[in-house]
């Protein structure tokens, strides 16, 4: 549902409820209008830095169902969450993905429904997701070279994914981004190819520095490189840093007058990266995570069963949020409990 319709759908009584709810702020004055919600750990790709051997699980997990997701989102929305990103694992593998989007889109207070996807079957499905209320789309594409894409992900589908993105550009999506993990000696020399791709496409390409997780230390050591190399490329080719909006997250945006698209740089290892943190996370089994690299999750699931548990749920969320640390400790090689990013949703 478009922004304005959502707003006008909130009647005065609902507004009072929203206003009297506790707000999502932490001990360092940061606000959290953005929730990343993992809806499955399962993934069909085997990206070298994430799930190199593909997804496997020793026990069958039961992921949050539609009702639990709806109760969760309503509680967060009451406390000021405006944007929900559905992630995973691969979120689009959920058979009820469109229903989940639709239920979130009609929650009063939610202005943006986003997803991060590997784009498998994007062309076949994107129209249905947009009709359901999806407003923002991120597709992960680490290389525009088909052979390299195949070897990185285990799937020879770059052509189909790019054609899905071109189709998405014709639909009423507010913003489309490409996510690429910056990988030394793998894609770190392909910036020009990415720039050519967005010359005529209104897409933001986000390069994310490779992060160390519990499982990928050797890969990380071999392929991590500072995003400074991308910044150097951009600055020496006429791109300029865009002024940050006050509420912007940690990405730094670069624009160029000859290009419709833009570049974004996400550098979690940079100084003060965590100062602009505006996001919280809930795992596919209902654990509340204060940081991608935190020590533990706070289980919310027992309070997601009935709508009348909402006040208790909100209290647990706000109380847990007091424990959010000022920053991650990745510099000390402390990755918290995160074995790979499919675990709590990257
Ligand atoms: N499967 C979906 C996808 O790949 O878009 C969503 C989940 S995936 C974990 C979310 C994002 O995290 C992807 O853009 C992926 O490239 C990124 N990612 C995964 N592992 C990472 C790592 N170790 N460092 C940086 N980014 C990572
Ligand atoms: Fe799957 Fe996304 Fe991880 Fe790749 S990055 S293995 S697509 S969860």
């Amino acid at each position: 549902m478009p922004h304005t319709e959502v707003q006008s759908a909130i009647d005065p009584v609902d507004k009072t409820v929203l206003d009297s709810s506790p707000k999502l702020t932490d001990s360092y004055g940061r606000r959290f209008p953005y929730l990343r919600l993992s809806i499955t750990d399962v993934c069909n790709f085997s990206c070298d830095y994430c799930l190199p051997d593909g997804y496997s699980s020793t026990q069958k997990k039961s992921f949050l169902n539609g009702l639990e997701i709806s109760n969760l989102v309503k509680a967060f929305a009451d406390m000021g969450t405006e944007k929900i990103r559905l992630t995973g694992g691969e979120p689009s593998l959920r058979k009820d993905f469109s229903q989940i989007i639709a239920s979130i889109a009609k929650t009063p207070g939610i202005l943006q429904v986003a997803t991060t996807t590997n784009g498998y079957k994007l062309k076949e499905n994107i129209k249905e997701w947009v009709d359901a209320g999806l407003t923002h789309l991120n597709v992960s594409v680490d290389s525009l070279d088909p052979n390299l894409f195949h070897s990185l992900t285990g799937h020879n589908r770059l052509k189909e994914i790019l054609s899905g993105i071109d189709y998405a550009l014709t639909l009423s999506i507010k913003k489309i981004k490409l996510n690429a993990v910056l990988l030394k000696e793998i894609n770190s020399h392909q910036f020009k190819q990415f720039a050519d791709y967005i010359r005529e496409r209104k897409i933001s390409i986000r390069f994310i520095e490779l992060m160390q997780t519990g499982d990928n230390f050797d890969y990380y050591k071999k392929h991590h490189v500072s995003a400074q190399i991308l910044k150097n490329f951009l600055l020496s080719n006429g791109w300029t840093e865009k002024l940050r909006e006050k509420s912007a997250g940690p990405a730094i945006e670069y624009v160029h007058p000859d290009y419709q698209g833009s570049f974004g740089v996400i550098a979690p290892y940079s100084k003060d990266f965590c100062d602009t943190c505006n996001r919280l996370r809930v795992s596919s089994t209902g654990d509340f995570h204060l940081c991608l690299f935190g020590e533990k999750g706070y289980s919310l699931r027992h309070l997601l069963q009935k709508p009348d548990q909402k006040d208790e749920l909100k209290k647990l969320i706000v109380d847990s949020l007091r424990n959010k640390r000022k920053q991650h400790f990745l510099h000390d090689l402390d990755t918290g409990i995160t074995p790979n990013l499919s675990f709590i949703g990257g």
Side-chain angles (χ1 to χ4, degrees), residues 43 49-50 87-91 116-118 140 179 181 208-211 213 216 341-342 346:
C43 188
Y49 49 81
C50 182
T87 180
E90 176 47 41
T116 301
T117 171
N118 60 28
S140 299
N179 284 8
V181 180
I208 312 162
E209 277 179 357
L210 175 64
M211 293 180 264
T213 58
N216 75 358
L341 291 203
S342 80

Side-chain angles (χ1 to χ4, degrees), residues 23-28 30-32 76 79 279-280 288-290 298 315-325:
K23 290 286 171 258
L24 293 169
T25 46
D26 72 359
S27 328
Y28 304 96
R30 293 174 294 196
R31 287 184 57 245
F32 300 94
F76 271 93
M79 297 189 289
R279 59 207 56 197
L280 298 169
F288 180 40
H289 291 273
L290 305 176
Y298 299 84
K315 183 170 179 327
L316 177 57
I317 293 168
V318 168
D319 288 348
S320 310
L321 188 51
R322 293 209 184 96
N323 299 317
K324 185 166 165 72
R325 301 190 294 189

Side-chain angles (χ1 to χ4, degrees), residues 41-52 54-55 87-91 116-119 140 142 152-153 181 340-343 346:
D41 291 359
V42 181
C43 188
N44 52 344
F45 277 29
S46 47
C47 300
D48 286 345
Y49 49 81
C50 182
L51 294 171
Y55 174 79
T87 180
E90 176 47 41
T116 301
T117 171
N118 60 28
S140 299
D142 295 325
L152 275 171
T153 61
V181 180
N340 55 64
L341 291 203
S342 80
F343 174 67

Side-chain angles (χ1 to χ4, degrees), residues 11 47 52 63 99 230 257:
D11 66 34
C47 300
F63 302 121
Q99 286 95 299
L230 171 58

Side-chain angles (χ1 to χ4, degrees), residues 57 126 134 160 170 209 267 308 334:
S57 173
I126 184 67
L134 189 81
E160 290 80 359
T170 67
E209 277 179 357
D308 66 9
D334 175 356

Side-chain angles (χ1 to χ4, degrees), residues 6 33 51 59 74 109 116 119 140-141 143 180 200 203 242-243 259-260 264 268 270 315 328 334:
V6 172
L51 294 171
Q59 86 237 53
K74 282 178 184 153
T116 301
S140 299
V141 178
S143 175
E200 304 296 340
I203 289 179
K242 207 172 136 187
L243 218 58
Y259 291 77
Q260 287 200 37
S270 65
K315 183 170 179 327
H328 63 62
D334 175 356

Side-chain angles (χ1 to χ4, degrees), residues 13-36:
V13 179
D14 273 339
K15 269 188 180 155
T16 318
V17 172
L18 291 175
D19 290 348
S20 64
S21 278
K23 290 286 171 258
L24 293 169
T25 46
D26 72 359
S27 328
Y28 304 96
R30 293 174 294 196
R31 287 184 57 245
F32 300 94
Y34 179 13
L35 175 68
R36 296 174 77 105

